[in-house]
Amino acid sequence: MSFLNDKQQNTGEEDSSGGLTLTVLGCGTMGIAILGGILDSLSTSSQQSDADKDAPKRLPSRYNACVRSDKSAERTKRELGQYEAYEHLKIHQNSNLKPTQEADVILLGCKPHMVGGILQADGMREAIAGKLLISICAGLTEQQIVSFLPSTGHCRVVRALPNTAAAVRESMTVIATTPTAPLDPDTDALVTWIFTRIGRVTHMPSANMDACTALCGSGPAFIAVILESMAAGAIAMGVPRGDAYLMAAQTARGMTQLMLKGGEGGKAEHPAILRDKVSTPGGCTIGGLLVLEEAGVRGTMAKAVREATVVASQLGEGKSGVNGTRR
């Protein structure tokens, strides 16, 4: 079933623009980043790059950003007002119902503990019925979100996991898939298009989302520790602090680009091959690598991802105190 029927089909109203209305409930840092990516891509300078065969048939052309405070409203206006398409965005303060009624697609970007209150507010169930609801709320499964909605108000819930790098359009977004209820092509194309505005996208079965949370959601913090440690070593040897951080960051950036497209024909390259390419026999790199191996850095990093996966799973079950001391 397609959840992207236009308003003429759903309500009998005529919509001459053919575009979709996208409403962001809880437009915080991530919501602003996603809207910014969309608005930027639809500017006259970027439209050409988006005219590809994978683009959805209908794109968002009207936007609602729902916030609670004056500060959030001002921030949204300040950060999104630079884009040409900003004229098609309305900021709603302490008002979720009307923008949800107007929406074809709803992006749920609030804090996880607020979801129940928002979705169960008066009139919201009816406003969401039959529409596409995309959740970026960490830890909440599709089933948990559906539990807040009655079966008579059926909507299609899609879970997506972008990460903090969305702020610089370098997010790794994971979209959950359900083999027994796959997305129709139009909906899949739209969801993928939305998140490719802020970086790269991959699809994973829902059962893998906790591990993806650990790798992509917690991963930036793990990488930050590594980069800080590398820079600290250089600082200890006399490199100025600011220069050391810049060099560590750019070194990591270059390495990620090599992993993504440094192989033959611009294809991805395995990290072990890249490591060997810079490990000259008897050189400084292999000497440093042996120190890392002796310290068990590889196993420790892998364990960190596994631990974060377990914690994400337990948080999703509603447990508390899950980061207590373990045997």
Side-chain angles (χ1 to χ4, degrees):
M1 175 180 178
S2 175
F3 287 80
L4 298 178
N5 296 323
D6 61 28
K7 289 183 178 178
Q8 187 173 3
Q9 290 175 298
N10 284 337
T11 66
E13 297 177 7
E14 194 170 331
D15 179 14
S16 59
S17 71
L20 299 169
T21 298
L22 172 65
T23 292
V24 181
L25 297 176
C27 191
T29 299
M30 193 62 71
I32 289 174
I34 293 170
L35 282 175
I38 293 174
L39 296 180
D40 187 32
S41 72
L42 294 177
S43 67
T44 55
S45 60
S46 302
Q47 283 181 359
Q48 189 66 31
S49 64
D50 290 319
D52 57 61
K53 60 183 178 61
D54 295 324
K57 296 178 181 178
R58 299 174 65 204
L59 296 175
S61 61
R62 298 168 299 277
Y63 313 90
N64 293 310
C66 300
V67 299
R68 291 198 299 173
S69 66
D70 292 336
K71 184 178 180 180
S72 294
E74 285 300 318
R75 179 192 176 192
T76 302
K77 182 178 180 180
R78 181 177 66 253
E79 297 194 21
L80 298 179
Q82 60 182 301
Y83 303 110
E84 294 176 17
Y86 176 75
E87 62 180 329
H88 302 295
L89 182 143
K90 294 181 181 178
I91 299 174
H92 301 261
Q93 191 171 336
N94 294 315
S95 175
N96 293 329
L97 182 57
K98 187 174 185 295
T100 301
Q101 291 172 330
E102 295 174 349
D104 298 294
V105 182
I106 302 150
L107 183 69
L108 191 59
C110 61
K111 295 185 183 302
H113 72 272
M114 299 169 63
V115 171
I118 289 176
L119 297 186
Q120 294 179 320
D122 290 344
M124 286 295 286
R125 293 179 177 182
E126 293 77 12
I128 294 170
K131 297 179 179 179
L132 174 63
L133 177 64
I134 304 171
S135 169
I136 58 172
C137 299
L140 286 184
T141 66
E142 299 95 314
Q143 292 76 19
Q144 287 172 312
I145 294 171
V146 169
S147 70
F148 294 119
L149 303 166
S151 58
T152 53
H154 181 52
C155 68
R156 184 58 194 260
V157 177
V158 176
R159 183 183 179 191
L161 178 70
N163 69 14
T164 188
V168 290
R169 314 283 164 79
E170 290 291 349
S171 174
M172 180 66 252
T173 301
V174 183
I175 298 172
T177 61
T178 305
T180 56
L183 293 175
D184 65 273
D186 290 341
T187 303
D188 185 46
L190 176 64
V191 175
T192 300
W193 181 88
I194 288 173
F195 290 103
T196 52
R197 304 309 93 189
I198 56 169
R200 291 176 179 262
V201 169
T202 190
H203 294 70
M204 280 284 165
S206 296
N208 292 131
M209 289 301 279
D210 288 331
C212 293
T213 298
L215 180 59
C216 303
S218 304
F222 302 158
I223 294 172
V225 170
I226 294 174
L227 294 181
E228 185 181 23
S229 301
M230 290 172 59
I235 293 168
M237 301 309 292
V239 176
R241 189 177 303 274
D243 293 325
Y245 290 135
L246 172 64
M247 288 187 281
Q250 181 59 37
T251 299
R253 181 177 182 176
M255 184 60 174
T256 58
Q257 290 302 304
L258 286 171
M259 283 184 62
L260 290 170
K261 51 188 179 183
E264 185 177 351
K267 296 182 179 180
E269 185 75 281
H270 194 284
I273 295 176
L274 294 172
R275 179 201 63 204
D276 285 350
K277 285 181 178 180
V278 295
S279 300
T280 304
C284 60
T285 303
I286 190 63
L289 284 170
L290 288 176
V291 172
L292 296 177
E293 294 292 354
E294 289 166 3
V297 170
R298 187 198 303 259
T300 300
M301 289 303 299
K303 187 175 181 180
V305 174
R306 289 155 55 204
E307 176 73 3
T309 301
V310 173
V311 172
S313 176
Q314 294 185 344
L315 288 173
E317 294 171 2
K319 296 181 181 180
S320 60
V322 295
N323 275 315
T325 302
R326 298 177 186 274
R327 285 184 175 233

